[in-house]
């Protein structure tokens, strides 16, 4: 029997440009894997330009745990190792070629997950990093839906049948419970996990919110989180001996010419995904991910970033010229505080958001506005002040081990003071992790 969880605090941002219909297959001419998408380890490159790679063969290994790999989603030839400042590797790019699959020769379940690249797609709480291979999780939380703006499917249809064997495998990795969080209307039921029927607005789909509602994480405990798509890939690996590294991607946003869904390779070139989707002559922002937690990318040179499910296109808004500016009474302007008359037509109707901050940085005000969209039993404003001050003891007392940067995405959106709360949270968690 499913356990019901009702999230009351939060906000569904009504953004225009939802993708509908079935995904169309797209073959990418170039694929890139970015090690920065997988925090917690130092990644060492195992290939060089000109090397031939098979689908699933290693591109990187973790310096601290050599068995954990980042792998190639396609067979082909390594084209480039892109580097940034101080020769930091930004991405390894592969030009797809003749199909060949890397064979994983191991009877160990843990080793198979590490060698297939799926280990790096999981996250560990506290700290929201790739899991420590020496720690045993108290519980594992699997999320089968995404509540973020314009989100697509978490489980690609072509591998959905392998979810059950993937959940069975996860049960072998913990002495605790495997939880599967779903929306009641999804109809997902399983004997391999405890099902959580989650209702409520975003961030109901964030694993941190689900963990907090069931059993919050303490300092001495370890909990793993993973999306259901990765679990389905694990099930396929165990059933067929190889993974399908394709992803179902929702191309969304008010500035997309025609929102759509595509089926393409993990790490596919955005130039191929967005062909025919960008308005010429417009100042646009392309985000790999959703508007709250995604990464700003260059549509001509960058790649689909982890978790490989969504691309959002919005206007920059740098040429906007509104009558009366901030004092405008435009009914098409969104505000959760009823500053504009848009609430008269209903805030659930889609709005055309752009990338403007619409305000300036200022001192933090303890107004309680963040708590309205933050469904944790935590005082977010006091925790933020502790993070700003670098007060580790106070951060621990106020619950920093329960949160991840994505949990502060909505508070960052509504924050009158315009602080970069996700960046602050990531930096604070990293300092705590290194000192622990």
């Amino acid at each position: 029997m499913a356990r019901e969880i009702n999230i009351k605090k939060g906000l569904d941002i009504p953004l225009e440009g939802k993708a509908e219909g079935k995904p169309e297959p797209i073959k990418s001419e170039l694929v890139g894997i970015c090690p920065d998408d997988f925090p917690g380890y130092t990644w060492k490159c195992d290939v060089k330009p000109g090397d031939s790679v098979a689908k699933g063969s290693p591109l990187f290994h973790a310096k601290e745990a050599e068995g954990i790999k980042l792998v190639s989603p396609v067979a082909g030839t390594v084209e480039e190792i892109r580097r940034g400042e101080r020769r930091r590797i930004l991405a390894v790019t592969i030009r797809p070629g003749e199909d060949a699959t890397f064979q994983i020769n191991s009877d160990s379940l843990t080793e198979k997950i590490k060698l297939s690249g799926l280990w790096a797609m999981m996250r560990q709480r506290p700290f929201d990093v790739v899991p420590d291979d020496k720690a045993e999780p108290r519980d594992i939380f699997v999320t089968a839906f995404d509540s973020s703006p314009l989100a697509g499917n978490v489980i690609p249809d072509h591998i959905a049948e392998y979810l059950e064997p993937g959940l069975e495998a996860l049960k072998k990795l913990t002495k605790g419970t495997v939880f599967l969080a779903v929306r009641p209307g999804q109809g997902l039921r399983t004997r391999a996990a405890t099902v959580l029927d989650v209702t409520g607005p975003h961030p109901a789909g964030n694993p941190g919110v689900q963990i907090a509602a069931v059993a919050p994480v303490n300092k001495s405990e370890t909990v793993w989180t993973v999306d259901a798509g990765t679990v389905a890939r694990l099930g396929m690996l165990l059933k067929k001996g190889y993974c399908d590294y394709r992803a179902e991607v929702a191309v969304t946003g008010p500035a997309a010419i025609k929102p759509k869904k595509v089926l393409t390779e993990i790490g596919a070139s955005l130039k191929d995904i967005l062909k025919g989707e960008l308005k010429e002559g417009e100042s646009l922002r392309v985000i790999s991910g959703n508007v709250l937690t995604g990464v700003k990318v260059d549509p001509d040179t960058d790649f689909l970033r982890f978790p490989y499910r969504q691309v959002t296109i919005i206007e920059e808004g740098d040429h906007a010229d509104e009558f009366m500016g901030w004092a405008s009474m435009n009914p098409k302007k969104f505000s959760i505080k009823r500053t504009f008359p848009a609430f008269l037509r209903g805030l659930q109707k889609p709005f055309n958001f752009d990338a403007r901050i619409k305000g300036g940085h200022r001192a933090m005000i303890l107004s309680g506005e963040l708590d309205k969209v933050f469904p944790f039993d935590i005082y977010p404003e006091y925790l933020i002040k502790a993070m700003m001050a670098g007060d580790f003891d106070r951060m621990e007392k106020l619950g920093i081990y329960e949160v991840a940067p994505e949990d502060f995405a909505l508070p960052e959106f509504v924050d009158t003071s315009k602080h970069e709360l996700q960046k602050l949270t990531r930096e604070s968690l990293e300092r705590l992790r290194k000192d622990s």
Side-chain angles (χ1 to χ4, degrees):
M1 186 174 179
R3 177 174 175 179
E4 295 182 359
I5 296 176
N6 183 21
I7 305 301
K8 296 182 179 180
K9 293 182 180 181
L11 176 67
D12 287 326
I13 299 175
L15 189 65
E16 290 181 355
K18 186 173 180 63
E20 303 286 356
K22 294 183 178 180
E24 57 179 277
I26 289 181
K27 191 74 174 176
S28 181
E29 296 182 2
L30 198 64
V31 171
I33 298 298
C34 306
D36 285 350
D37 291 343
F38 306 94
Y41 288 99
T42 303
W43 298 102
K44 296 294 184 180
C45 191
D46 294 330
V47 294
K48 60 183 183 297
D51 284 356
S52 294
V53 293
K55 183 187 297 183
S57 63
L59 298 177
F60 297 88
H61 71 270
K63 179 182 177 182
E64 299 83 355
E66 292 192 8
I68 301 177
K69 310 289 185 181
L70 300 182
V71 304
S72 175
V74 295
T77 304
V78 176
E79 182 151 304
E80 180 186 8
I81 298 177
R82 295 186 182 178
R83 296 183 181 270
E85 295 180 0
R86 299 183 179 180
R87 292 185 58 76
R88 180 172 65 91
I89 297 178
L90 303 178
V92 168
T93 66
I94 305 103
R95 180 124 353 229
E98 295 183 7
D99 196 22
T101 302
F102 180 75
Q103 298 297 319
I104 298 175
N105 298 316
S106 176
D107 294 328
S108 166
L109 173 60
T110 302
E111 289 301 315
K112 284 183 178 180
I113 300 174
K114 291 178 183 179
L115 293 173
S116 65
L118 299 179
W119 189 279
M121 296 184 188
M122 298 192 292
R123 292 294 178 267
Q124 170 186 298
R125 302 293 178 97
F127 308 124
D128 190 45
V129 294
V130 175
D132 182 348
D133 66 335
K134 296 179 179 63
E136 182 177 315
R138 183 200 72 192
D139 301 305
I140 300 176
F141 282 76
V142 181
T143 305
F145 72 97
D146 189 345
S147 61
S148 57
L150 305 179
N153 295 336
V154 173
I155 314 174
D157 290 339
H158 65 284
I159 57 172
E161 63 184 290
Y162 299 106
L163 178 61
E164 186 76 10
L167 291 171
E168 290 285 356
L170 289 184
K171 288 173 62 176
K172 300 176 182 178
L173 300 179
T174 177
K175 294 178 181 177
T177 306
V178 177
F179 294 95
L180 175 65
V182 304
R183 286 295 200 192
Q186 280 184 275
L188 276 177
R189 289 296 182 264
T190 175
R191 295 181 179 179
T194 299
V195 177
L196 306 175
D197 275 338
V198 185
T199 59
H202 184 66
N206 285 7
V209 174
Q210 298 153 14
I211 295 169
V214 176
V217 181
N218 296 314
K219 180 179 180 180
S220 59
E221 296 174 330
T222 298
V223 171
W224 291 356
T225 67
V226 58
D227 67 86
T230 300
V231 178
R233 291 187 181 96
L234 171 59
M236 184 178 184
L237 173 67
L238 299 178
K239 286 291 185 180
K240 292 198 168 185
Y242 60 89
C243 277
D244 188 320
Y245 293 102
R246 291 177 296 169
E248 187 178 307
V249 184
V251 180
T252 65
I257 292 177
K258 186 180 179 182
K260 63 184 180 182
K261 295 179 182 179
V262 300
L263 183 64
T264 188
E265 294 81 10
I266 281 175
S269 169
L270 290 173
K271 187 175 182 180
D272 296 317
I273 294 175
L274 299 177
K275 190 174 294 182
E277 286 294 332
L278 303 178
K279 302 172 185 176
E280 294 186 9
E282 296 285 341
S283 180
L284 303 176
R285 177 171 297 192
V286 177
I287 302 165
S288 183
N290 65 71
V291 288
L292 293 174
T293 62
V295 180
K296 180 182 177 182
V297 289
D298 186 329
D300 293 321
T301 61
D302 282 337
F303 305 94
L304 183 66
R305 305 287 291 271
F306 181 82
Y308 312 119
R309 290 198 298 263
Q310 185 178 359
V311 178
T312 310
I313 311 168
I314 60 176
E315 296 177 0
E316 282 286 358
D318 47 6
H319 299 303
D321 186 13
E322 293 179 315
F323 176 67
M324 296 181 67
W326 63 269
S328 168
M329 297 299 289
N330 188 344
K332 295 183 179 181
K333 294 182 71 173
F334 177 85
S335 174
I336 63 170
K337 300 181 179 68
R338 297 193 173 189
T339 307
F340 306 105
F343 70 89
L344 295 173
R345 73 180 182 97
L347 293 181
Q348 298 308 312
K349 293 183 178 180
F351 285 75
N352 182 0
F353 288 82
D354 57 37
R356 287 177 292 165
I357 296 177
K358 296 184 178 179
H361 180 82
R362 65 202 72 170
M364 186 175 178
I365 303 170
L366 296 178
S367 62
E369 63 182 354
L370 307 187
D371 187 60
K372 295 177 181 178
V373 296
F374 191 74
F376 290 78
D377 190 17
I378 289 173
Y379 295 109
E381 291 166 339
Y382 290 97
L383 176 55
I384 289 166
K385 290 187 72 174
M387 289 191 286
M388 288 178 172
D391 188 337
F392 289 178
D393 291 338
R394 190 161 175 76
M395 279 188 262
E396 290 183 356
K397 292 177 182 178
L398 289 168
I400 192 167
Y401 293 117
E402 294 185 42
V403 299
E406 66 179 6
D407 297 320
F408 279 97
L410 263 182
E412 185 175 289
F413 175 74
V414 304
D415 182 20
T416 306
S417 301
K418 310 300 179 185
H419 292 293
E420 295 183 66
L421 302 183
Q422 294 181 81
K423 180 180 178 183
L424 174 65
T425 306
R426 171 56 68 195
E427 291 172 348
S428 300
L429 287 171
E430 282 299 304
R431 288 199 297 268
L432 273 170
R433 187 171 68 89
K434 290 176 181 177
D435 287 352
S436 62

